[in-house]
Amino acid sequence: MPRPITDEDREQVRHLHAQGKARNEIARELRRSPSTVSKIARELGITFDRAVEVETATKVRRADLAARRADLAIALHDVAEREIGRMTQPQLYFEWGGKDHTYAEKWQDEPTPADRRTMMATAGAALDRSLKLSPARDETGERSRSVIGRLMDGLARNYAERHGTETVGDGQ
């Protein structure tokens, strides 16, 4: 037979709920079933609905991830710039080997064509990934389209005023 709900149970549920504890946590602490805790909460007019908290936490998490993606995009741009810069810099080449295990090194004015291709591929991959993480926005194109649209509307209004006709449309 189930244990009856007491005033003490109600008071403990109210107190623990006020502390921000979840339903299952309260149930464990009181050694009652979660459904009993839900029933008590319903009687007391309190809820364990955390939708607002979850929504806020989700927004914060998304903002954090967006910031991390932006940081990673910047780091990838840095890699691309470094690789492109290396393409025209002196390059140290070395070899180690032979039967006597000798070491030899040589500086060249710039990397070999094969090494430059590798650097270009690395830079291209880094830029491609960076732009996927944080796509470029063409704000200047949008601005110029709106400026041209306003200019055309102004010309149309001016024409209509001078010639007594109606304007076709307003591009704003």
Side-chain angles (χ1 to χ4, degrees):
M1 175 165 205
R3 192 170 78 196
I5 297 171
T6 66
D7 288 339
E8 184 180 341
D9 291 332
R10 290 180 183 88
E11 193 52 43
Q12 285 181 316
V13 168
R14 183 189 322 274
H15 176 71
L16 294 170
H17 180 270
Q19 290 180 354
K21 295 199 175 187
R23 181 195 67 172
N24 291 348
E25 193 176 0
I26 293 171
R28 279 191 299 275
E29 197 166 318
L30 298 181
R31 291 193 168 96
R32 301 299 294 242
S33 71
S35 62
T36 300
V37 172
S38 291
K39 183 177 178 181
I40 294 170
R42 213 173 15 259
E43 288 175 11
L44 297 173
I46 58 178
T47 180
F48 292 102
D49 181 17
R50 299 179 60 204
V52 173
E53 294 169 3
V54 170
E55 182 181 349
T56 301
T58 301
K59 286 180 183 176
V60 168
R61 179 74 175 140
R62 284 185 183 142
D64 288 347
L65 289 173
R68 290 174 67 189
R69 278 193 306 275
D71 290 344
L72 188 54
I74 291 168
L76 286 167
H77 260 76
D78 292 345
V79 167
E81 287 175 353
R82 186 176 60 242
E83 287 300 309
I84 291 169
R86 288 181 54 209
M87 290 175 64
T88 57
Q89 298 298 314
Q91 184 76 28
L92 174 65
Y93 289 93
F94 63 91
E95 60 181 45
W96 182 271
K99 68 177 183 156
D100 297 328
H101 299 290
T102 57
Y103 173 79
E105 64 181 42
K106 177 184 177 188
W107 279 94
Q108 283 192 207
D109 291 338
E110 34 181 59
T112 64
D115 285 346
R116 273 193 265 164
R117 272 193 308 275
T118 301
M119 291 171 191
M120 183 59 92
T122 301
L127 283 173
D128 181 53
R129 298 310 185 281
S130 171
L131 290 171
K132 285 182 180 177
L133 288 169
S134 183
R137 293 183 300 173
D138 186 14
E139 294 170 356
T140 55
E142 291 172 14
R143 263 198 311 270
S144 54
R145 279 191 298 275
S146 66
V147 167
I148 291 170
R150 286 195 305 268
L151 179 61
M152 293 301 291
D153 288 341
L155 289 172
R157 278 192 301 276
N158 181 278
Y159 180 86
E161 289 170 5
R162 286 186 296 127
H163 297 285
T165 62
E166 292 184 28
T167 57
V168 175
D170 194 356
Q172 289 184 3

